[in-house]
Amino acid sequence: MNIVVCVKQVPASNEARMDPVTNTLMREQVASILNPFDAFAVEEAVRLKARCAGSSVMAISMGVPSAAQTLRGVLAVGVDQAMLLTDRAFAGADTLATANTLASAIGILPQPDLILCGRMATDGDTAQVGPMLAEALGLPHVTDVAEIEQISERRAVVRKLTDDGYVRLEVPLPALLSVTKEINVPRLPSIAGVLRSWEAEVQI
C-alpha cells in the first residue's frame, strides 16, 4: 500500500506577528513544531505500514525551508520518504492554494492508495485543507476519523466522530482520511530512528 501523509509546520507559540505590509504571518521569528494533529496522521500511517505488508509512507509538506527539520522528525518515527514544497510564491497561501499545491505534487507521484491528514492545523483551525485536497484530486474522503477498523487494497472501514457519537463508514480506495486525536497515541522517535533521519534525503 502506497500511503501519503500531509504534514505542516506551525508556530510553537502564538507570538507570531503580522507583517504590516503583506498582512501575512512573520513565521521566521518564532520557533516551529510539527502540527500536533498531523502527529496522529503520521503515527497512523506508520501503523498501517506495519499492518499492510509491502507498504511505504511518504510525508509531504508545504512550507518554509526550515520545515525540512519537521520532516526529519517524521522520518525518525518510521516514515520512509519526505518531500518539502517550498517557494516564496507560496507565502500567504490560503487553504485553497495550499490544497492545490499539495495536489500538484501528489499528482506527479505514483498514485497513493491512501492519503492521511490531521484534522486541522492549530494555527488556522479551519479543517479545510484535507477535504479541499481530496476534491482537487477527485478522491472520496472522510473527515474526523477516530479509527481505521479494516483496510484492504480496495476499501477501508472507518469510525467517524460526529456531534452525536460515531458512525461506521466504508470508503473505496484510493481515498483521503483526516484523523482526530482519538485515533492513536503518537510514538517518540528512537535513537536509531533519529540517526536514520539525518542520513535520509528530504526531497526539495
Side-chain angles (χ1 to χ4, degrees):
M1 179 171 290
N2 183 16
I3 304 167
V4 169
V5 59
C6 298
V7 300
K8 183 180 182 183
Q9 180 175 269
V10 297
S13 70
N14 57 6
E15 297 174 0
R17 293 179 299 172
M18 296 290 284
D19 186 309
V21 176
T22 64
N23 292 319
T24 59
L25 282 176
M26 299 167 64
R27 298 179 185 274
E28 309 82 24
Q29 302 172 0
V30 179
S32 297
I33 59 171
L34 173 67
N35 176 47
F37 283 99
D38 293 342
F40 299 100
V42 169
E43 175 65 23
E44 195 63 20
V46 173
R47 291 185 183 199
L48 287 172
K49 182 176 78 166
R51 279 169 64 180
C52 306
S55 296
S56 64
V57 179
M58 170 178 271
I60 297 182
S61 183
M62 183 185 107
V64 296
S66 63
Q69 182 78 4
T70 299
L71 286 169
R72 291 202 181 278
V74 302
L75 288 167
V77 296
V79 168
D80 300 300
Q81 296 177 287
M83 176 186 289
L84 173 62
L85 313 174
T86 185
D87 195 297
R88 287 189 179 275
F90 300 156
D94 62 9
T95 53
L96 181 59
T98 299
N100 285 337
T101 302
L102 291 169
S104 294
I106 292 170
I108 65 172
L109 299 173
Q111 184 178 38
D113 300 295
L114 183 65
I115 300 173
L116 294 176
C117 302
R119 180 179 182 274
M120 63 185 184
T122 56
D123 63 345
D125 293 354
T126 64
Q128 293 174 347
V129 172
M132 285 179 168
L133 174 57
E135 289 294 321
L137 293 169
L139 296 178
H141 54 92
V142 182
T143 59
D144 296 328
V145 173
E147 182 182 0
I148 300 175
E149 296 183 350
Q150 301 172 33
I151 192 161
S152 66
E153 292 181 0
R154 296 189 176 183
R155 70 181 187 111
V157 177
V158 302
R159 192 163 59 100
K160 173 185 167 68
L161 178 64
T162 72
D163 291 339
D164 300 317
Y166 295 92
V167 294
R168 181 175 287 106
L169 299 172
E170 181 177 318
V171 58
L173 299 184
L176 181 146
L177 307 176
S178 62
V179 304
T180 67
K181 63 183 181 178
E182 288 83 8
I183 198 165
N184 58 47
V185 177
R187 72 191 68 192
L188 294 173
S190 64
I191 294 175
V194 171
L195 294 175
R196 185 174 60 251
S197 74
W198 279 105
E199 296 174 354
E201 176 187 6
V202 174
Q203 301 176 54
I204 305 295

